[in-house]
Amino acid sequence: MLKKESDDQLATQFFQRDYQDRGMLKWGGFYLSDHTSALRKMHAAEQQEAAQPRQSVAVISARLALAWRTHRHVHVQLNVVDANQAVAVLDGTVAGVTDDQIMVRVPAGDYRQVALTAIRCVTLAAH
């Protein structure tokens, strides 16, 4: 004859005798995903972009104006190097153009104002 036990007692016996906790193994999938994501970001940061030849202000202005009229994305190299001696870049869409300044909307939604004289090179994204 089967003996009825309370749910708490049955659960306690299950965890004491039958259940084997896998410990950190059960979190391995999460760690691996986070770890590979961090490694991908680290490797992307290590791949420094080569400095493109300096364009004239007229070429830079023409490309920025075209990007503004056609709503195309731009890749802008600045005349600035960071602590790792990498050329600073700016990607986004041109939100406004004045005589000597541009306003670029970056993918995060923020706006960056840049002087034309601080720009080294402008590349337009393909349609």
Side-chain angles (χ1 to χ4, degrees):
M1 181 175 222
L2 292 176
K3 181 171 112 178
K4 280 198 154 196
E5 298 180 22
S6 71
D7 290 338
D8 290 337
Q9 191 177 21
L10 185 62
T12 302
Q13 287 177 359
F14 170 74
F15 283 112
Q16 287 176 350
R17 288 184 296 175
D18 302 321
Y19 179 73
Q20 292 182 345
D21 186 11
R22 293 176 36 208
M24 289 303 292
L25 287 175
K26 63 186 169 194
W27 300 105
F30 295 112
Y31 172 75
L32 184 61
S33 173
D34 291 344
H35 183 69
T36 54
S37 175
L39 284 175
R40 195 174 304 120
K41 286 180 185 177
M42 185 180 75
H43 289 301
E46 288 175 356
Q47 297 174 354
Q48 296 180 356
E49 185 173 318
Q52 298 295 318
R54 189 180 307 260
Q55 297 172 336
S56 69
V57 175
V59 170
I60 291 171
S61 296
R63 288 185 178 187
L64 291 171
L66 176 63
W68 183 61
R69 284 192 311 270
T70 59
H71 306 287
R72 290 170 64 183
H73 286 272
V74 292
H75 178 75
V76 179
Q77 278 192 350
L78 303 174
N79 289 325
V80 178
V81 292
D82 62 13
N84 298 329
Q85 299 302 312
V87 176
V89 296
L90 185 64
D91 292 310
T93 55
V94 179
V97 179
T98 63
D99 291 334
D100 61 346
Q101 301 276 322
I102 65 161
M103 186 70 69
V104 177
R105 183 171 188 215
V106 295
D110 298 333
Y111 291 89
R112 304 277 163 74
Q113 188 171 355
V114 180
L116 287 177
T117 56
I119 298 174
R120 176 183 192 81
C121 174
V122 175
T123 306
L124 296 175
H127 282 283

